[in-house]
Amino acid sequence: MKAELRCRYLDSDFVEVIWKNAGSEPEAGPPYLWSLLTRADSDAIAQISVNTLLVIDDEAFGGLDVELRSTDSMIYCGCYQPLR
């Protein structure tokens, strides 16, 4: 993933993986992660027709500027602001 995103640094401690069935509610993933998203974000995620979601906190890049985009194997869905 680091090479595909073309970033020099990626700390896996700040990357979360959520598995789901296409078109259904997420089946697995840290409960605290869902608590950080608004209901609208959760509803939008439930509509995505893929089975694996990656959530990358910007801390994963160690303070470096990274421009996220879709790649051959990942679809960039946007940036979510924390509720804090």
Side-chain angles (χ1 to χ4, degrees):
M1 179 170 40
K2 180 179 167 184
E4 192 169 2
L5 289 173
R6 296 185 187 142
C7 54
R8 292 183 288 156
Y9 180 84
L10 183 64
D11 185 340
S12 63
D13 287 343
F14 295 95
V15 178
E16 300 288 358
V17 179
I18 301 168
W19 293 273
K20 66 188 235 23
N21 286 328
S24 70
E25 289 292 321
E27 294 181 342
Y32 76 89
L33 179 61
W34 295 108
S35 72
L36 298 176
L37 299 174
T38 66
R39 185 67 207 163
D41 293 337
S42 296
D43 289 344
I45 288 169
Q47 298 304 311
I48 296 172
S49 63
V50 296
N51 62 6
T52 306
L53 301 171
L54 297 172
V55 179
I56 305 172
D57 189 287
D58 61 356
E59 301 242 352
F61 304 109
L64 300 172
D65 287 333
V66 175
E67 184 177 332
L68 296 176
R69 69 208 175 303
S70 294
T71 67
D72 289 341
S73 64
M74 294 182 278
I75 299 170
Y76 179 68
C77 295
C79 179
Y80 295 89
Q81 296 299 318
L83 295 176
R84 299 179 222 165

